[in-house]
């Protein structure tokens, strides 16, 4: 996914002289959560009328999973520590992965550049100036092999943040694993593969929603047989929140997306308990500690009820909302960037107290550039300190039973249910996206939040309050412009020396399957192994499916 751009109106303002006194009409605490949920000064049992610990909480690892998806949670093992990384060409990213693994990272998380995300090779005219900028440039099997050189894929879990071209990048990963001799049934990792949130929040889509959904379910079906340990989708609320949604909308819209994927898989002939255990989620870890903890607990409980009651799932694994969390890139500020260390630590704590299965902590400089090696290490150390020094992993769901937390959990769940009901009434998430409803709701929430910052009703330390003298710039990572030309020459040289007829025939088979409705994954895997490029395979599907034209949402 694209790296986090500075939030307009927050991180782009210049520093001015500090005034330590509160602004007129600007309370120290607004009495609401970051998303605008009103809070009482004190909570008592009276704020939970009719609340029943057994039905609302249960035990960890038991329905409705409010307290966590596993009985022992971090007492069994800590969450997976993934630091999202990727930049330049494959060789540079490989060096960063090796470094992070040596520093104690326990899982890889791959960021791809925008051309790769959009199905464009590095030498495409539309890729100019973007090659390797917000992630690693991957055009071919040669690039993918270089990306994981010296990293045994059979022994490491890899998350790939890729959506429109997810099927192609997954095929490339499988091809490298085959070359390494890894056991495919035991291959572990996640491909994000969540196209719906691209139409809502990010914009790195290629095809119209309905054929794009077909590609998603093709991945589900193929992985069920070929990669049974692989997580076939990471349904993302993260980007919806980064676009400006509230916490309630993040849960409601994300689970509405998940409902659409389940419906699509069922329509494709899959049984609910065949694919649901391999679904996962990806949530934002924002700055409001209590709201974020409650958000994760509400999402977990609501998903378990939806899967059991709406879809009739019977396998307990189908009911589990397993999620990765990433700290909030949109909360990072270019002003006083050292403050971001504190923000990230609080956000990471919220994710851990909320029961995440894996976590990425942002680096302090990511409002300015990609993280340096030093800031990436500090972000990883933040997770390690939480795991090994803070004590929060010593007991499962230590906040469970708190009157304030349980009230917030109930409130967020009720609000998310209302979001899902509205989308159902519109005809489902695909229809809600096509009409622009979801996009408008997120834009409205983002605008209202930004207005509260502009009016000094919401304090951002170092931005609209507690501003000091202008600081010296901090060191940031610079991507060598020569990398783009080197990558262009590399992909052109590959096309010149490969078996051209073999590659062309494999690409033609992808196009044929796109027209016939057959599962695309076997043909895509054959094509990448014939050294067809990401752009060529994407173009084969473009010729059949066309390209999506965005609905203007005002």
């Amino acid at each position: 996914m694209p790296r986090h751009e500075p939030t307009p109106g927050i991180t782009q303002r210049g520093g001015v002289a500090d005034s330590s006194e509160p602004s007129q009409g600007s309370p120290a605490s607004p009495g609401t959560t970051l998303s605008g949920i009103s809070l009482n000064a004190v909570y008592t049992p009276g704020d939970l009328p009719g609340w029943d610990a057994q039905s609302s909480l249960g035990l960890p690892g038991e329905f409705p999973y409010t307290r966590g998806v596993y009985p022992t949670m971090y007492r069994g093992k800590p969450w997976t520590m993934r630091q999202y990384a990727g930049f330049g060409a494959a060789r540079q990213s490989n060096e960063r992965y090796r470094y992070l693994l040596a520093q104690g990272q326990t899982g890889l998380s791959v960021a791809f550049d925008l051309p790769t995300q959009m199905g464009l090779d590095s030498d495409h005219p539309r890729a100019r100036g973007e090659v390797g900028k917000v992630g690693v440039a991957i055009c071919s099997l040669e690039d993918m092999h270089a990306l994981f050189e010296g990293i045994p894929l059979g022994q490491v879990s890899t998350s790939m943040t890729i959506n429109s071209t997810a099927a192609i990048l997954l095929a490339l990963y499988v091809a490298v694993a085959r070359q390494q001799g890894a056991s495919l049934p035991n291959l572990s990792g996640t491909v994000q593969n969540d196209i719906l949130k691209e139409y809502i929040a990010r914009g790195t889509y290629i095809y119209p929603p309905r054929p794009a959904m077909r590609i998603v379910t093709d991945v589900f079906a193929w992985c069920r047989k070929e990669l049974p340990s692989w997580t076939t989708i990471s349904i993302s609320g993260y980007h919806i929140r980064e676009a400006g949604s509230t916490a309630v909308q993040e849960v409601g819209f994300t689970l509405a997306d998940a409902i659409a994927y389940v419906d699509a898989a069922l329509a494709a002939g899959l049984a609910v308990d065949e694919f649901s255990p391999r679904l996962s989620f990806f949530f934002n870890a924002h700055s409001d500690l209590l709201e974020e903890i409650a958000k994760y607990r509400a999402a977990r409980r609501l998903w378990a009820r939806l899967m059991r009651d709406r879809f009739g799932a019977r396998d307990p694994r189908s009911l589990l909302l397993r999620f990765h969390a990433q700290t909030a890139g949109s909360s990072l500020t270019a002003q006083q960037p050292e403050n971001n260390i504190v923000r990230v630590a609080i956000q990471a704590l919220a994710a851990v107290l909320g029961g995440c299965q894996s976590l990425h902590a942002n680096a302090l400089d990511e409002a300015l550039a990609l993280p340096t090696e030093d800031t990436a290490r500090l972000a990883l150390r933040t997770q390690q300190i939480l795991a090994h020094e803070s004590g929060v992993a010593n007991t499962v769901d230590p906040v469970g039973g708190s009157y304030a937390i349980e009230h917030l959990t109930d409130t967020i769940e009720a609000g998310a249910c209302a979001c899902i009901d509205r989308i159902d009434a519109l005809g489902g998430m695909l229809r809600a996206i096509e009409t622009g409803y979801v996009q408008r709701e997120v834009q409205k929430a983002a605008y209202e939040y930004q207005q509260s910052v502009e009016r000094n009703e919401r304090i951002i330390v170092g931005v609209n309050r507690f501003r000091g003298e202008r600081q010296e710039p901090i060191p940031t990572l610079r991507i060598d412009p020569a990398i783009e030309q080197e990558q262009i020459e590399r992909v052109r040289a590959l096309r010149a020396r490969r078996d051209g007829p073999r590659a062309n025939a494999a690409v033609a088979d992808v196009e044929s399957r796109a027209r016939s409705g057959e599962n695309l994954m076997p043909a895509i895997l054959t094509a990448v192994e014939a050294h067809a490029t990401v752009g060529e395979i994407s173009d084969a599907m473009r010729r059949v499916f066309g390209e999506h034209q965005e609905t203007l949402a005002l």
Side-chain angles (χ1 to χ4, degrees):
M1 64 185 174
R3 298 298 199 192
H4 313 297
E5 298 297 330
T7 302
I10 295 182
T11 59
Q12 307 233 18
R13 297 193 198 117
V16 297
D18 179 39
S19 174
S20 59
E21 287 78 24
S23 303
Q24 291 296 319
S26 179
S29 175
T32 62
T33 69
L34 190 62
S35 299
I37 298 172
S38 297
L39 296 174
N40 297 343
V42 176
Y43 282 89
T44 70
D47 295 298
L48 298 170
W51 187 82
D52 176 70
Q54 183 58 41
S55 61
S56 295
L57 283 182
L59 292 173
E62 296 181 8
F63 188 87
Y65 304 102
T66 313
R67 308 198 69 185
V69 292
Y70 303 124
T72 59
M73 289 299 288
Y74 310 136
R75 288 286 290 266
K77 67 174 184 177
W79 60 94
T80 301
M81 299 179 192
R82 300 187 191 275
Q83 287 303 116
Y84 183 56
F87 60 92
R91 177 176 51 81
Q92 287 82 18
S93 291
N94 176 266
E95 291 171 358
R96 177 64 65 87
Y97 296 157
R98 288 171 178 250
Y99 173 78
L100 289 170
L101 288 169
Q103 296 297 315
Q105 178 174 295
T106 54
L108 295 177
S109 184
V110 183
F112 297 97
D113 72 357
L114 284 173
T116 305
Q117 294 180 51
M118 298 296 293
L120 304 172
D121 290 330
S122 295
D123 63 343
H124 193 284
R126 287 168 56 194
R128 187 170 300 160
E130 291 294 342
V131 175
K133 288 294 179 67
V134 299
V136 62
I138 298 294
C139 298
S140 68
L141 183 56
E142 284 190 356
D143 290 335
M144 203 68 161
H145 185 272
L147 184 65
F148 294 108
E149 180 71 33
I151 299 173
L153 299 188
Q155 300 174 30
V156 66
S157 172
T158 302
S159 173
M160 294 190 288
T161 303
I162 195 71
N163 298 284
S164 291
T165 55
I168 305 171
L169 272 297
L170 176 59
L172 287 166
Y173 190 87
V174 169
V176 173
R178 279 179 167 178
Q179 290 178 347
Q180 292 185 356
S183 167
L184 296 190
N186 295 325
L187 207 62
S188 174
T190 304
V191 64
Q192 190 163 95
N193 198 29
D194 174 10
I195 197 61
L196 292 178
K197 62 93 173 52
E198 298 298 325
Y199 305 110
I200 296 170
R202 288 186 72 241
T204 58
Y205 43 71
I206 301 174
Y207 317 109
R210 295 179 191 274
M213 289 288 280
R214 176 257 179 105
I215 300 172
V216 171
T217 57
D218 278 0
V219 172
F220 288 2
W222 186 79
C223 287
R224 179 172 62 89
K225 295 179 179 179
E226 305 294 335
L227 299 180
S229 298
W230 191 266
T231 298
T232 54
I233 192 169
S234 178
I235 304 161
S236 177
Y238 182 87
H239 307 90
I240 295 171
R241 189 68 180 277
E242 289 291 278
S245 80
T246 66
V248 169
Q249 289 172 330
E250 181 185 357
V251 175
F253 293 154
T254 303
L255 297 195
D257 281 349
I259 289 168
Y261 290 122
V262 174
D263 283 337
L266 294 173
L270 299 177
V272 65
D273 287 322
E274 288 181 334
F275 65 89
S276 293
R278 305 318 305 164
L279 307 182
S280 69
F281 291 81
F282 175 22
F283 287 111
N284 204 293
H286 224 295
S287 297
D288 192 312
L289 182 70
L290 301 185
E291 180 174 62
E292 292 300 289
I293 295 168
K295 177 186 77 179
Y296 305 127
R297 301 168 88 251
R300 200 159 42 231
R301 186 166 69 199
L302 178 54
W303 181 243
R305 291 172 173 167
L306 282 168
M307 290 305 294
R308 184 193 66 177
D309 300 338
R310 182 166 179 154
F311 293 109
R314 294 294 174 260
D315 186 337
R317 297 175 303 162
S318 298
L319 311 183
L320 304 184
L321 186 146
R322 299 172 297 116
F323 76 95
H324 171 72
Q326 179 174 338
T327 58
S330 60
S331 74
L332 303 179
T333 63
Q335 302 93 323
Q336 301 179 19
E338 294 86 353
N339 294 344
N340 295 330
I341 300 172
V342 183
R343 292 185 177 103
V344 168
I346 292 169
Q347 293 163 4
L349 177 61
V352 171
L353 289 174
C356 68
Q357 277 58 69
S358 64
L359 175 62
H360 164 86
N362 288 329
L364 69 94
D365 50 355
E366 287 192 72
L368 299 163
L370 300 183
T372 65
E373 195 171 89
D374 288 343
T375 61
R377 183 182 66 248
L378 179 59
L380 177 60
R381 293 288 183 260
T382 301
Q383 293 204 54
Q384 291 165 336
I385 290 169
L386 278 176
H388 302 293
E389 295 186 25
S390 71
V392 296
N394 290 339
T395 187
V396 182
D397 188 30
V399 299
S402 156
Y403 303 135
I405 290 291
E406 301 304 345
H407 184 269
L408 269 173
T409 300
D410 290 350
T411 300
I412 292 172
E413 183 182 10
C417 282
C419 284
I420 293 170
D421 288 345
R422 284 194 291 272
I423 288 169
D424 284 344
L426 290 169
M429 183 51 99
L430 275 174
R431 184 61 183 152
I433 289 171
E434 289 168 345
T435 61
Y437 166 76
V438 183
Q439 298 93 310
R440 286 192 297 273
E441 290 298 297
V442 172
Q443 290 165 7
K444 179 182 177 183
Y447 177 77
E448 290 175 351
Y449 173 78
Q450 185 59 37
Q451 287 294 101
S452 73
V453 174
E454 299 289 347
R455 293 191 295 263
N456 287 335
E457 296 167 358
R458 182 70 61 180
I459 302 305
I460 309 297
V461 173
V463 176
N464 61 359
R465 285 281 299 280
F466 312 112
R467 295 175 291 200
E469 298 297 325
R470 188 178 298 274
Q471 297 180 321
E472 292 298 318
I474 63 172
T476 55
L477 182 69
R478 179 178 176 272
I479 305 300
D480 186 348
I483 288 174
E484 178 166 335
Q485 187 57 40
E486 292 170 3
Q487 180 67 12
I488 289 172
E489 292 170 0
R490 188 176 298 111
V491 70
R492 288 176 176 172
L494 169 72
R495 292 198 198 101
R497 69 173 178 271
R498 71 187 179 185
D499 182 341
R502 179 188 172 207
N504 292 338
V507 170
D509 190 38
V510 173
E511 182 173 345
S512 175
R513 282 180 174 246
R515 295 186 189 281
S516 70
E518 296 174 86
N519 192 297
L520 287 160
M521 282 301 299
I524 291 173
L525 181 56
T526 298
V528 301
E529 291 184 325
H531 297 285
T533 66
V534 170
E536 290 167 340
I537 298 168
S538 299
D539 285 345
M541 291 185 280
R542 280 186 178 96
R543 288 191 287 272
V544 179
F545 301 143
E547 290 190 295
H548 176 65
Q549 301 300 314
E550 184 176 11
T551 300
L552 185 62
L554 298 176

